[in-house]
Amino acid sequence: TAFVYPIKGLRGISLQSAHIGPQGVRYDRRFMLFEVASSGTKLKSMQLSSHPACALFEQEIRQSSTGEANIVVRYHGSDQRG
């Protein structure tokens, strides 16, 4: 089984087949999550190794009727607000 990771640092999506192009597997590692540093002037990448909550996100590639691809992300953790 092959996996693709559209958003680097989140768990992958299982693939039955993959399209390989000039940049590798289609949709693989095209995006990344960042957090704003406490100074408010720098961005810090978010990856599972330093942000365990990344494991609670699920990503999915959805194809529209026009063939356009959208990446849908869901969070499967408890709401910590309140």
Side-chain angles (χ1 to χ4, degrees):
T1 302
F3 290 86
V4 65
Y5 302 84
I7 301 174
K8 185 177 177 178
L10 301 187
R11 59 180 148 168
I13 300 168
S14 178
L15 299 175
Q16 298 299 319
S17 64
H19 178 274
I20 307 295
Q23 296 179 336
V25 177
R26 182 183 286 172
Y27 310 122
D28 194 40
R29 294 174 178 88
R30 298 294 193 253
F31 304 98
M32 185 166 205
L33 295 178
F34 289 90
E35 70 177 337
V36 178
S38 58
S39 66
T41 60
K42 293 187 180 181
L43 297 177
K44 181 179 176 185
S45 64
M46 295 177 65
Q47 297 182 23
L48 185 59
S49 60
S50 58
H51 293 81
C54 285
L56 301 174
F57 288 91
E58 174 186 18
Q59 53 186 335
E60 172 187 0
I61 300 171
R62 289 191 186 164
Q63 299 284 341
S64 71
S65 59
T66 62
E68 182 178 300
N70 293 297
I71 298 175
V72 178
V73 180
R74 289 184 194 86
Y75 180 68
H76 294 285
S78 62
D79 188 349
Q80 299 290 326
R81 292 177 289 174

